[in-house]
Structure formats: structure tokens, C-alpha cells
Amino acid sequence: MNNLKHLLALFCLTLFSQILFAQVYSEDFSGQDGKGVVGSSGSVAVFDTTGMDWTVDVSSSDLSASTDYFKVNTVSSNEIFEARDTDGEVVWKSPSVDISSSGLVDLSIDLSEVGTMEAGDYIKVYYILNGGSEVLFLSLIHI
């Protein structure tokens, strides 16, 4: 009977926590294949973020070939945001999300790698709270 009380308490706690937390922003890139930036040999990179609520900044990169990109690609029937041969820093930014009435906030991100990162490659994830400075959330660096 004692175990039943613990199980019931755990169930109630889990149910209560799911009621309290609501998702305020999510991006899975569904329906966005090709959105982002593609390099162009001898020309300016081609931007297409029309209709997206997110933005990209590739001003510190060198997308000099048509095979260089920072965009949404379909891989194994899943649309993912992918970077290839950017030769510099590229930035994906979500829209500003008002969490002032959200209480506790849980921040998560799904990242994966195909192949291996080159020396000096990195992925850094930041958040900005109340218009303040960037706060590092995650850093993956290949040395």
C-alpha cells in the first residue's frame, strides 16, 4: 500500500507539471525545405527566408560555391536546418518570444552531426533574456 501512495503521488505530480507548462515556441522546420541561404560561385549568396519568423546572419561567412549553404534541407524525409562549408560563423535567430507570464521555462534544442566537424568548427547556442546580453546555453567545439 505504501508503494501505491508513492506511485499515486508521482502520477499526480507528473500530471500537475504537464498542466502548468505550455509550449511557447517551437521550430521543427516543417514545410520549409530550401529556406535559408545558398552560396553562388562568383556571385552574391541567395537568401530565401520569405514567410519565416526566423532570420539568418551569414555576414561573417564565405558561401562562395553553390554547394555551400545554411538552410533547411530534407534528410530521410525530415526537414532539418543544416550548415555546409560556411567558412565562417553563421547565425540562426528565432523570433523574440515573450515568456513574461510563463513562470518556469525549459529550454531545449536537438542537434546532430553527419560526418565529422573540421578543426575549429563549433556550435554555440545562446539565449537573451529581457533584452540583455547573450547567455551561452550550449557549446560544442571541435579542436
Side-chain angles (χ1 to χ4, degrees):
M1 185 67 152
N2 199 16
N3 288 337
L4 182 59
K5 286 182 186 177
H6 290 285
L7 183 60
L8 184 57
L10 181 61
F11 173 73
C12 291
L13 182 61
T14 303
L15 180 61
F16 186 64
S17 68
Q18 289 178 1
I19 292 170
L20 284 179
F21 295 105
Q23 189 171 41
V24 292
Y25 180 76
S26 177
E27 181 59 74
D28 65 4
F29 304 107
S30 179
Q32 301 176 29
D33 189 41
K35 296 293 183 174
V37 185
V38 177
S40 180
S41 299
S43 185
V44 177
V46 178
F47 283 76
D48 180 9
T49 55
T50 308
M52 302 298 97
D53 63 355
W54 47 263
T55 60
V56 293
D57 178 359
V58 295
S59 60
S60 296
S61 69
D62 181 17
L63 301 173
S64 58
S66 59
T67 54
D68 301 346
Y69 55 79
F70 188 54
K71 67 175 186 156
V72 178
N73 270 331
T74 299
V75 177
S76 301
S77 301
N78 295 309
E79 288 172 305
I80 61 170
F81 203 96
E82 188 174 35
R84 179 170 186 226
D85 198 21
T86 61
D87 294 327
E89 185 174 88
V90 290
V91 178
W92 178 89
K93 292 183 182 181
S94 75
S96 180
V97 178
D98 181 4
I99 59 169
S100 60
S101 61
S102 298
L104 296 175
V105 176
D106 181 35
L107 178 63
S108 65
I109 185 168
D110 292 326
L111 299 170
S112 65
E113 175 185 359
V114 175
T116 56
M117 295 172 65
E118 297 173 344
D121 284 353
Y122 63 90
I123 297 172
K124 293 183 180 180
V125 180
Y126 295 88
Y127 67 88
I128 298 173
L129 189 60
N130 298 326
S133 299
E134 291 180 341
V135 177
L136 184 62
F137 173 68
L138 172 71
S139 180
L140 303 170
I141 300 173
H142 186 271
I143 21 180

